[in-house]
Amino acid sequence: MTEQQALYQYCLRLGDDALLQSFRYSEWCSNGPILEEDLALTNFALDMTGRAQALLSYAAKVEGKGKTDDDLAYRRGERKFHNHLMMELPNGDFAFTIARMLFSSAFEYYFYSELQQSADINLAAIASKTVKEVKYHLAHATDWTLRLGDGTSESHHRIQKAIDELMMFTGELVEIDEVEDFLRIANIAVDMEAVKAKWKEYINGVMAEATLLLPRVDYMQTGGRKGIHTEYLGHILAEMQYLQRAYPEAIW
């Protein structure tokens, strides 16, 4: 594996995570429980779209095969996507979306805070912008988790159920493989062990304040980074990539 190959895979992974989150958040447009929340989730979708575009554009540049961010977003099949499985799961109810946002945004806040120190100046610049955005995502998810967890019996039940269902997908967030190792030695990638510790401390604090419990999970789901996905990714791509597949020669 060369540094170019590893960097391409790294950017692709991060871009795919943002792209899939953007799609899921956008599905809340006009469907939010209240108007303010409808607008908030739509704005988060726009943040994710911008991040995905930046990362996939850089990935295409690193690959050096004349592709664009659109090529990578709209002209890859399921096995060529490398997002975390959590990002492709259906939105479920509002509590499920909030629980996923809490887990993912807490991870991303600490991850991109560390990535600002990357020896790759392009990744460091993208990380610097991302931290400013994800800080608000995390605050939003935390506030809602506290409101739901310490609210009515119904809201408590729903957010606890969502946490129970999502916990098995959190281990994949901090997995380390040969790409991570290769780039970490080159001071490009993030030290995932440090991120994991900070993520766990933050989540435990929120759970305690929200009167919620983190379930014990004996098996963590994995495979997204290797292109092995749930059935849901295919449904997303069928909708997201329809126009490009129906009219492959179309230009804007």
Side-chain angles (χ1 to χ4, degrees), residues 120 135 148 161 181:
D120 185 293
K135 181 179 180 180
L148 295 173
K161 182 175 181 288
D181 270 337

Side-chain angles (χ1 to χ4, degrees), residues 127-151:
S128 181
K129 181 177 185 296
T130 297
V131 167
K132 297 173 184 177
E133 295 173 343
V134 79
K135 181 179 180 180
Y136 290 100
H137 303 180
L138 179 55
H140 191 82
T142 300
D143 288 346
W144 268 110
T145 301
L146 296 177
R147 292 173 68 180
L148 295 173
D150 200 25

